[in-house]
């Protein structure tokens, strides 16, 4: 009896192991032992015994051990019934089922722990009629329940076949059951035993099994068994499905894990491992605020990077590109400060004067505060060098609490410097704009585009055309950088361009800029700037913070007028630096300093005056007129000298003059010839004399229409022999009809005249509005004559 097999899984609480008997025929001749009417009763807790089935039982209760021992000694027969509730430790007769099975104890085994195990085989179904005693164990009168023989019943045989099939399917679906079990089942001939054997091994609860045992009609019993088996089969199928699914998923995960490990090993074998780098990048990307397009591009790039080996050339290209994407402040903005009073204070503290510019900046802030969001305008500060255009940008950034970044455009001649290079090139980089944004870590800084008029154009393209997209508020929210290969929003950046000469800026670019003119400083303004900004800065730079000495306003004025000729304050700054170096030397050698620096000290330090206004105070000879010129370093004084000599009326021009200036001279001469009677000149003179016009400082190129009236005055003076009024300067363009036209750069010219000590200025009546913009304090003592015609000029100018 060593053939063992279970239909259900071996559960811990099961106390038996079903055994298939060697014979399954319930032949009365096999064992003719008579069954007595009264038998000891053995209650079973966890199972139901069916006729013909052999099972081992572990007997633990004292009563049961005694009953088993007595029965084994006698005829080896015992009544076996199931407990209604398996938890009851000491069952009474009411706790037992009525119907059970008469069993034969095949073998009794004493266990080392004192327990007893019996192997019993079910014989017949029986019913407990009456309990005769319950001490020391249950004994009862029983009635044998015989089975009917259904041989030849087609329905029953079909049922038996179905039971075999179902049992085979269940065995096939249960991984814990050996496949031989299906073969054993198929070979059971006796239908009654088959039903009992399958019922015994069914994975159903005790109540269902008891119900099977109680059914008298074997056909009905087979029907109920089939229903239970169908349920069992469905359960097995479901369990199998879940198990397979789980196993497949686990297999897939294991497979992936093994592949990853192999990949890692291969990478390590090849040398270099970029896993840590990629992880670090992904970690950074998780916390990044950026547009959807950038995120998608980054994800693709990282996937590509993971597949690459660090030693391949493409690896560093991809890595650097992803690194740039991570470094850019896509949607990081600093918060603007809308405290206009505070902003005004900062601007006033950093820069003296410049009211027009400060007003414009405060207007911008006010609109920003009211609207909350606005396309930033593109301001362009236009003016001579050294006037503070670049430093003004820094002050604006401080005033509105933004970050400040400067991009120098001077000498830029390659379009890729603005737009970036394509990644395919070796040494490719993003453009200057994107680089600056990456460096400053903010998407709304104040960006100074320095020297926008110095951008050059070559065969590599025109950078000023590339700037068109950057500087157009309608387009720069989708600025495309070739290296980044994505659109970047520049609309929140406050661009400020600086330039010295507007005519050098490409017209399309000029159209996008809001030009703000910064004119030169008056002497009074320079004195204030020197006291507030330059002196403290130079003292600190030369280690003289602790030393106390003064430069009075008159001394500063002397430095400005005798040692500098400029609109800005850069030259003044370097002269003051010379004074500070001298003072530092004195302090080190003597250990103390003079309390004030006098004019004599200035001459001792800086040498004899470089510039003098006495030149204009000398009594002029006829034919010499003083003009006012505008240069990119500010206003300047221009002498026009005319000399007549015997000849045939030829005109000669010297002094490095441009075409426009030469044409002004021709125009002036033609006008005089046409109006000689009005000016009291003999018409014949024009044919007898050669005319030579010279403008001193011959090395300096000069051009423009501003010297028109000056040339005419000089020619008229030369022809009439009348001198031109001393301390008089003039500026204006002329026409052949003798009209005077307005010219530009008036503030610079007027301030230059003031610096030179001139007392009167003649200009076109239309320039009066320009003079009104100049602070009255700076032009005290200058008399202005506004004219419409050349005749008025000559009446005023000729003595």
């Amino acid at each position: 009896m060593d053939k063992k097999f279970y239909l259900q899984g071996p559960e811990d609480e099961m106390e038996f192991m079903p055994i298939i008997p060697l014979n399954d025929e319930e032949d009365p001749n096999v064992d003719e032992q008579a069954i007595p009417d009264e038998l000891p009763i053995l209650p079973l807790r966890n199972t139901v015994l069916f006729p013909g089935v052999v099972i081992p039982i572990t007997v633990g209760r004292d009563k049961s051990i005694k009953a088993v021992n007595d029965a084994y000694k006698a005829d080896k027969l015992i009544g076996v019934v199931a407990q209604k509730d398996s938890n009851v430790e000491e069952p009474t007769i009411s706790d037992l089922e009525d119907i059970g099975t008469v069993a034969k104890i095949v073998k009794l085994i004493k266990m080392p722990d004192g327990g007893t195990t019996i192997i019993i085989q079910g014989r017949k179904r029986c019913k407990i009629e009456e309990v005769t005693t319950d001490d020391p164990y249950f004994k009862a009168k029983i009635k044998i329940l015989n089975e009917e023989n259904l041989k030849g019943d087609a329905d029953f045989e079909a049922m038996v076949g179905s039971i075999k099939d179902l049992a085979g399917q269940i065995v096939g679906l249960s991984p814990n059951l050996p496949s031989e079990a299906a073969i054993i089942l198929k070979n059971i001939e006796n239908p009654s035993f088959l039903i009992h054997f399958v019922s015994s091994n069914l994975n159903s609860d005790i109540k269902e099994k008891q119900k099977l045992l109680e059914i008298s009609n074997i056909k009905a019993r087979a029907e109920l068994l089939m229903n239970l088996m169908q349920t069992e089969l469905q359960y097995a199928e479901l369990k199998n499905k879940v198990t397979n699914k789980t196993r497949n998923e686990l297999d897939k995960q294991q497979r992936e894990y093994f592949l990853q490990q192999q990949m890692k090993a291969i990478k390590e074998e090849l040398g270099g491992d970029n896993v840590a780098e990629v992880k670090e990048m992904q970690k950074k990307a998780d916390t990044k605020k950026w547009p959807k397009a950038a995120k998608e591009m980054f994800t693709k790039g990282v996937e590509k990077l993971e597949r690459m080996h660090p030693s391949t050339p493409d690896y560093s290209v991809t890595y650097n590109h992803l690194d740039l994407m991570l470094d850019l402040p896509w949607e990081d903005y600093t918060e603007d400060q809308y405290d206009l009073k505070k902003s005004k204070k900062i601007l006033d503290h950093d820069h003296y004067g410049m009211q027009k510019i400060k007003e414009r900046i405060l207007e911008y802030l006010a609109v920003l505060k009211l609207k909350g969001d606005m396309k930033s305008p593109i301001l362009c500060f236009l003016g001579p060098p050294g006037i503070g255009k670049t430093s003004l940008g820094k002050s604006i950034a401080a005033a509105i609490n933004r970050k400040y970044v400067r991009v120098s455009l001077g000498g830029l001649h390659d379009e890729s410097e603005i737009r970036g290079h394509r990644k395919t090139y070796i040494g490719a980089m993003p453009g200057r704009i994107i680089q600056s944004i990456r460096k400053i870590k903010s998407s709304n800084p104040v960006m100074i585009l320095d020297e926008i008029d110095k951008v050059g154009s070559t065969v590599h393209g025109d950078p000023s055309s590339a700037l068109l997209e950057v500087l157009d508020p309608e387009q720069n929210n989708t600025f495309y950088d070739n290296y980044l290969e994505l659109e970047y929003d520049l609309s929140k950046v406050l661009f400020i361009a600086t330039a010295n000469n507007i005519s050098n800026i490409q017209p399309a670019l000029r159209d996008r800029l809001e030009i703000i003119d910064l004119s030169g400083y008056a002497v009074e303004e320079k004195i204030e700037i020197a006291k507030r900004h330059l002196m403290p800065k130079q003292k600190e730079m030369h280690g003289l913070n602790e030393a106390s000495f003064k430069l009075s306003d008159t001394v500063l004025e002397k430095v400005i007028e005798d040692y500098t000729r400029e609109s800005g304050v850069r030259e003044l700054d370097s002269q003051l630096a010379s004074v500070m170096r001298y003072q530092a030397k004195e302090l080190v050698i003597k250990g103390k300093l003079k309390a004030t620096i006098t004019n004599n000290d200035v001459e001792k330090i800086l040498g004899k005056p470089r510039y003098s206004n006495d030149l204009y105070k000398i009594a002029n000879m006829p034919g010499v007129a003083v003009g006012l010129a505008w240069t990119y370093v500010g206003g300047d004084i221009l002498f026009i000298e005319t000399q007549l000599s015997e000849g045939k009326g030829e005109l000669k021009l010297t002094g490095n003059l441009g075409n426009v200036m030469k044409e002004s001279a021709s125009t002036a001469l033609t006008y005089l010839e046409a109006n000689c009677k009005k000016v009291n000149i003999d018409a014949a003179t024009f044919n007898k004399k050669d005319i030579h016009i010279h403008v001193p400082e011959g090395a300096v190129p000069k051009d423009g229409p501003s010297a028109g009236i000056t040339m005419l005055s000089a020619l008229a003076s030369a022809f009439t022999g009348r001198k031109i009024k001393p301390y008089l300067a003039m500026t204006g363009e002329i026409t052949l009809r003798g009209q005077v036209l307005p010219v530009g750069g008036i503030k610079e010219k007027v301030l230059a005249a003031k610096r030179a000590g001139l007392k009167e200025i003649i200009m076109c009546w239309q320039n009066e509005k320009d003079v009104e913009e100049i602070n009255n304090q700076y032009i005290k003592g200058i008399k202005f004559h506004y004219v419409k015609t050349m005749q008025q000029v000559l009446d005023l100018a000729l003595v």
Side-chain angles (χ1 to χ4, degrees):
M1 282 184 213
D2 54 354
K3 283 195 179 165
K4 302 167 192 165
F5 143 74
Y6 356 19
L7 234 74
Q8 72 266 46
E11 294 172 34
D12 294 345
E13 66 271 12
M14 287 172 60
E15 293 177 346
F16 62 89
M17 180 165 40
I19 298 169
I20 295 173
L22 292 174
N23 63 319
D24 59 356
E25 293 293 330
E26 284 192 40
D27 192 348
N29 302 322
V30 172
D31 189 354
E32 292 177 353
Q33 186 181 358
I35 298 167
D37 292 342
E38 192 177 37
L39 283 175
I41 300 297
L42 173 67
L44 295 185
R45 285 170 95 162
N46 292 320
T47 190
V48 174
L49 179 68
F50 287 87
V53 178
V54 178
I55 57 170
I57 300 282
T58 302
V59 185
R61 291 185 279 220
D62 293 342
K63 269 187 174 183
S64 301
I65 290 170
K66 203 164 178 57
V68 165
N69 285 335
D70 288 1
Y72 192 68
K73 282 173 193 167
D75 54 6
K76 293 193 168 98
L77 293 177
I78 193 166
V80 176
V81 288
Q83 268 182 222
K84 289 177 182 172
D85 182 359
S86 61
N87 294 324
V88 177
E89 202 55 49
E90 293 293 333
T92 60
I93 198 68
S94 61
D95 292 323
L96 303 178
E97 297 283 0
D98 292 345
I99 292 174
T101 309
V102 176
K104 184 179 183 182
I105 300 169
V106 179
K107 198 166 185 66
L108 186 142
I109 305 156
K110 297 276 185 193
M111 303 304 283
D113 61 358
T116 304
T117 296
I118 55 170
I119 295 169
I120 54 174
Q121 180 177 17
R123 297 298 305 278
K124 301 269 185 190
R125 290 185 317 121
C126 65
K127 184 176 183 189
I128 295 174
E129 294 280 304
E130 184 190 341
V131 176
T132 54
T133 177
D134 61 355
D135 192 57
Y137 46 81
F138 292 117
K139 261 190 169 183
K141 285 187 176 177
I142 59 158
K143 179 188 172 190
I144 300 296
L145 303 171
N146 284 314
E147 303 287 348
E148 55 189 302
N149 191 355
L150 287 172
K151 265 190 181 173
D153 188 325
D155 285 357
F156 181 64
E157 281 174 12
M159 277 182 183
V160 171
S162 288
I163 288 169
K164 279 189 181 179
D165 290 345
L166 283 168
Q169 283 175 297
I170 293 169
V171 169
L173 285 171
S174 304
N176 298 328
L177 300 180
S179 51
E180 294 85 18
I183 301 163
I184 294 165
L185 280 166
K186 282 210 165 68
N187 291 316
I188 296 174
E189 297 294 331
N190 187 328
S192 177
F193 174 65
L194 176 75
I195 291 165
H196 293 153
F197 179 71
V198 172
S199 301
S200 178
N201 292 301
L202 202 63
N203 202 4
S204 298
D205 59 13
I206 311 265
K207 286 192 172 98
E208 299 286 358
K209 290 187 178 182
Q210 183 64 31
K211 207 184 278 178
L212 279 168
L213 186 68
E214 286 174 5
I215 294 171
S216 302
N217 187 337
I218 195 160
K219 204 169 176 182
R221 201 181 306 151
E223 212 168 297
L224 177 61
L225 177 63
M226 276 171 69
N227 287 342
L228 291 172
M229 283 176 86
Q230 286 286 2
T231 310
E232 180 70 19
L233 181 62
Q234 280 176 349
Y235 174 71
E237 280 174 346
L238 188 65
K239 193 173 172 188
N240 206 39
K241 190 178 173 186
V242 172
T243 309
N244 284 346
K245 193 177 178 186
T246 312
R247 190 186 293 123
N248 286 345
E249 279 178 14
L250 283 169
D251 286 352
K252 191 181 172 191
Q253 281 175 5
Q254 275 183 321
R255 186 164 165 270
E256 281 176 4
Y257 173 74
F258 286 132
L259 286 171
Q260 290 286 358
Q261 291 301 314
Q262 282 176 315
M263 205 165 160
K264 200 173 171 185
I266 290 165
K267 276 184 183 172
E268 277 171 12
E269 205 59 42
L270 285 167
D273 186 12
N274 63 339
V275 176
E277 277 180 347
V278 173
K279 271 194 180 153
E280 189 62 34
M281 278 189 152
Q282 282 169 326
K283 203 173 169 186
K284 271 192 198 171
D286 291 342
T287 56
K288 195 104 183 117
K289 284 192 293 182
W290 50 7
K292 196 181 170 191
K295 196 175 183 181
E296 283 172 6
M297 193 176 210
F298 180 83
T299 311
K300 279 181 189 169
V302 164
E303 284 170 4
K304 194 175 169 188
L305 199 68
E306 279 176 326
R307 294 193 295 271
M308 281 184 188
H309 188 264
S311 62
T312 57
D314 274 0
Y315 181 84
S316 59
V317 173
T318 310
Y319 182 85
N320 291 339
H321 183 246
L322 295 176
D323 197 39
L324 168 71
M325 287 179 75
L326 283 175
D327 275 357
L328 282 172
W330 291 92
E331 286 169 8
D332 290 342
Y333 302 106
T334 50
E335 208 171 310
D336 287 348
Q337 222 169 45
Y338 299 124
D339 187 344
L340 265 63
K341 285 177 185 169
K342 189 181 173 191
S343 301
K344 190 174 190 309
K345 222 179 238 174
I346 292 171
L347 292 170
D348 285 340
H349 173 267
D350 291 353
H351 290 83
Y352 182 75
M354 299 191 176
Q355 293 312 317
K356 197 172 161 189
I357 290 97
K358 291 174 186 173
E359 287 300 318
R360 176 67 191 86
I361 291 154
L362 293 172
E363 283 166 12
Y364 167 69
L365 281 179
V367 173
L368 211 56
K369 183 174 184 176
L370 293 173
K371 193 165 178 283
D373 177 38
M374 160 189 181
K375 283 194 173 81
S376 293
I378 316 292
L379 305 176
C380 177
F381 295 158
L382 181 72
I387 203 163
K389 300 185 293 295
T390 308
S391 64
L392 189 62
K394 215 169 194 169
S395 295
I396 292 169
I400 63 179
N401 194 32
R402 284 194 183 186
K403 291 186 176 180
Y404 163 86
V405 64
R406 179 177 158 272
V407 179
S408 177
L409 300 176
L412 200 78
H413 54 74
D414 189 346
E415 186 194 336
S416 304
E417 292 278 339
I418 304 290
R419 282 189 180 280
H421 308 76
R422 291 198 174 282
K423 285 208 305 270
T424 46
Y425 295 119
I426 290 172
M429 286 191 308
R432 295 269 188 101
I433 305 291
I434 293 290
Q435 279 183 47
S436 303
I437 295 231
R438 177 189 197 171
K439 182 175 78 180
I440 206 68
K441 295 268 184 286
S442 164
S443 281
N444 63 339
V446 171
M447 190 178 284
I448 303 290
L449 301 173
D450 228 353
E451 312 289 359
I452 201 165
D453 56 334
K454 311 285 190 307
V455 173
S457 121
T458 63
V459 287
H460 296 293
D462 180 5
S464 59
S465 301
L467 280 169
L468 295 176
E469 186 186 3
V470 178
L471 297 180
D472 189 339
E474 296 301 322
Q475 293 176 35
N476 65 12
N477 60 333
T478 55
F479 171 67
Y480 185 87
D481 186 275
N482 290 330
Y483 183 85
L484 184 62
E485 291 180 348
L486 274 172
E487 289 178 346
Y488 197 89
D489 184 3
L490 297 177
S491 61
K492 304 279 191 301
V493 178
L494 176 56
F495 287 104
I496 295 175
T498 73
N500 298 135
N501 190 351
I502 194 168
S503 58
N504 292 351
I505 304 174
Q506 190 191 325
L509 191 54
R510 200 185 318 164
D511 188 47
R512 284 163 165 77
L513 303 170
E514 187 178 324
I515 307 282
I516 296 176
D517 271 307
L518 296 181
S519 42
Y521 294 118
V523 174
E524 290 83 352
E525 284 181 299
K526 287 185 182 179
I527 292 170
E528 280 298 323
I529 291 165
K531 285 199 296 191
R532 291 184 188 196
H533 302 288
L534 306 181
M535 289 276 292
K537 182 182 84 175
Q538 290 297 349
K539 267 187 166 183
E540 192 180 329
M541 280 172 72
H542 292 86
L544 294 169
N545 273 346
E546 304 303 315
S548 61
F549 59 89
K550 280 182 185 170
L551 267 83
S552 65
D553 287 8
T554 46
V555 172
L556 283 170
E557 194 174 335
K558 180 178 172 64
V559 174
I560 292 162
E561 292 191 338
D562 290 358
Y563 296 92
T564 69
R565 270 285 180 276
E566 58 173 354
S567 289
V569 289
R570 208 166 269 155
E571 205 179 332
L572 173 60
D573 198 27
S574 68
Q575 296 299 340
L576 288 174
S578 300
V579 174
M580 295 302 158
R581 284 196 295 275
Y582 178 84
Q583 290 292 81
K585 184 186 77 177
E586 289 290 293
L587 184 63
V588 172
I589 293 170
K590 296 180 181 172
K592 59 178 184 174
L593 290 172
K594 281 170 70 180
T596 53
I597 294 176
T598 62
N599 283 358
N600 290 340
D601 294 330
V602 169
E603 285 203 17
K604 190 177 165 189
I605 298 165
L606 300 177
K608 291 284 177 203
R610 292 186 196 176
Y611 306 102
S612 170
N613 293 340
D614 296 343
L615 182 67
Y616 316 114
K617 295 169 188 171
I618 300 164
N620 291 331
M621 57 181 278
V624 179
V626 178
L628 297 174
W630 182 91
T631 66
Y632 83 95
V633 291
D636 206 355
I637 301 297
L638 206 65
F639 281 98
I640 308 253
E641 301 176 348
T642 310
Q643 188 74 47
L644 303 181
S645 56
E646 294 299 324
K648 298 173 185 172
E650 285 178 2
L651 176 63
K652 193 177 182 184
L653 297 162
T654 55
N656 201 350
L657 307 183
N659 287 337
V660 179
M661 212 157 178
K662 287 176 182 171
E663 285 159 10
S664 290
S666 302
T667 309
L669 187 59
T670 307
Y671 173 79
L672 272 184
E673 285 175 358
N675 297 280
C676 55
K677 284 180 183 167
K678 280 187 191 172
V679 195
N680 296 327
I681 303 171
D682 182 8
T685 319
F686 292 106
N687 297 325
K688 294 175 189 169
K689 301 279 182 186
D690 278 353
I691 304 128
H692 185 167
I693 297 176
H694 176 64
V695 185
E697 289 190 56
V700 182
K702 307 166 198 74
D703 201 8
S706 301
I709 66 171
T710 321
M711 283 185 167
L712 190 73
S713 302
L715 283 167
S717 170
F719 277 111
T720 57
R722 291 160 71 186
K723 285 182 185 177
I724 286 175
K725 210 175 189 180
Y727 305 119
L728 171 74
M730 56 189 84
T731 183
E733 186 182 349
I734 57 160
T735 68
L736 281 175
R737 301 192 308 277
Q739 284 181 306
V740 180
L741 299 181
V743 287
I746 292 298
K747 185 180 177 185
E748 275 81 3
K749 290 174 181 176
V750 170
L751 293 176
K754 178 86 165 85
R755 281 199 294 271
L758 298 166
K759 306 278 171 62
E760 295 178 62
I761 298 174
I762 300 173
M763 65 176 73
C764 175
W765 62 279
Q766 283 173 283
N767 282 126
E768 190 174 352
K769 64 181 190 310
D770 299 308
V771 175
E772 283 169 1
E773 282 183 13
I774 307 170
N775 191 327
N776 277 331
Q777 287 175 299
Y778 307 154
I779 49 175
K780 230 182 240 172
I782 295 183
K783 190 177 181 185
F784 291 95
H785 301 282
Y786 300 110
V787 296
K788 288 188 179 182
T789 65
M790 257 327 290
Q791 196 56 51
Q792 287 173 285
V793 175
L794 296 177
D795 293 345
L796 285 165
L798 298 177
V799 175

